[in-house]
Amino acid sequence: GDSVTQMEGPVTLSEEAFLTINCTYTATGYPSLFWYVQYPGEGLQLLLKATKADDKGSNKGFEATYRKETTSFHLEKGSVQVSDSAVYFCALGGTGGFKTIFGAGTRLFVKA
Amino acid sequence: SAVISQKPSRDICQRGTSLTIQCQVDSQVTMMFWYRQQPGQSLTLIATANQGSEATYESGFVIDKFPISRPNLTFSTLTVSNMSPEDSSIYLCSVGDKSTYNEQFFGPGTRLTVL
């Protein structure tokens, strides 16, 4: 079945460091790919999305490119801030029905 | 984007009791979902709430334990019945529409602790 695998956390970075959180997927058909973010004590928010191969999603300085050849959707940010501390979930959807498959989540800590 | 509210935001309950969680959306939506997020874990889909018919439950979740109502296109409830400490989790409501490629909008969650 469809699945999402993302790097285990926690990831601890200093402010202004470069961030990469790896995400790979297994899916039949042509899924849409998402990154969601969960700040402490809150629900999930959509951070960015890509709906077809080679699309790049971007928002708030974060980027991810839908790579069909490597079945990946890695999240990157050039310079993280303390306010980026949160849990990040990679997800896929649209392969059948309306279910979304979530990865395990990666907790990011950014130190001042 | 849809704005979703959940009530209560948190609760502490005794073993053997039941709690009903409400989810209200500010616009009519096609799909509504209920998830469970256990401490430090990812999201697990409990069921899809269908308007005008019975909810569709995922493997491992049953209607007797998690009855769901969806009387209209903007409102749903999830009841956690006969609770045990293992039910302590965050319960999240989300909505989606097939026209937006399965993008989902989430409520703030209900943090449940069962003693």
Side-chain angles (χ1 to χ4, degrees), chain A residues 21-108:
Chain A
I21 300 178
N22 291 336
C23 172
T24 58
Y25 67 91
T26 302
T28 55
Y30 303 96
S32 297
L33 300 173
F34 307 89
W35 278 100
Y36 288 86
V37 59
Q38 185 176 34
Y39 297 103
E42 299 183 12
L44 276 71
Q45 303 174 24
L46 180 68
L47 180 60
L48 54 83
K49 68 180 180 183
T51 57
K52 61 183 187 296
D54 299 325
D55 268 2
K56 178 186 284 188
S58 61
N59 186 25
K60 299 181 181 179
F62 291 90
E63 293 183 340
T65 301
Y66 188 160
R67 302 284 188 201
K68 188 179 176 187
E69 63 275 15
T70 55
T71 61
S72 65
F73 193 55
H74 304 320
L75 182 68
E76 297 182 337
K77 186 175 185 182
S79 176
V80 294
Q81 305 300 311
V82 172
S83 57
D84 293 326
S85 298
V87 181
Y88 293 83
F89 292 93
C90 186
L92 70 82
T95 57
F98 300 100
K99 295 180 189 178
T100 298
I101 309 296
F102 288 88
T106 303
R107 183 174 295 276
L108 171 66

Side-chain angles (χ1 to χ4, degrees), chain B:
Chain B
S1 64
V3 177
I4 303 150
S5 59
Q6 282 184 238
K7 288 196 290 187
S9 58
R10 59 178 62 226
D11 208 341
I12 300 173
C13 301
Q14 296 298 317
R15 180 195 299 262
T17 63
S18 298
L19 176 72
T20 295
I21 302 167
Q22 299 180 4
C23 177
Q24 179 75 54
V25 190
D26 68 343
S27 58
Q28 294 187 344
V29 293
T30 308
M31 314 298 295
M32 293 184 78
F33 306 93
W34 286 99
Y35 289 87
R36 181 173 72 184
Q37 185 180 24
Q38 294 178 306
Q41 302 296 313
S42 187
L43 283 73
T44 302
L45 181 63
I46 297 172
T48 302
N50 301 308
Q51 195 268 328
S53 65
E54 207 167 88
T56 304
Y57 289 85
E58 297 300 304
S59 176
F61 297 96
V62 296
I63 188 171
D64 289 348
K65 176 66 176 178
F66 297 101
I68 287 170
S69 77
R70 188 170 175 195
N72 56 52
L73 292 175
T74 64
F75 185 79
S76 177
T77 66
L78 168 75
T79 299
V80 186
S81 303
N82 188 25
M83 288 184 285
S84 67
E86 293 71 36
D87 294 320
S88 298
S89 286
I90 298 172
Y91 291 86
L92 293 155
C93 169
S94 77
V95 304
D97 193 282
K98 58 184 176 181
S99 66
T100 54
Y101 302 98
N102 283 57
E103 176 181 332
Q104 292 190 26
F105 299 95
F106 284 82
T110 296
R111 185 178 295 271
L112 171 62
T113 302
V114 184
L115 303 177

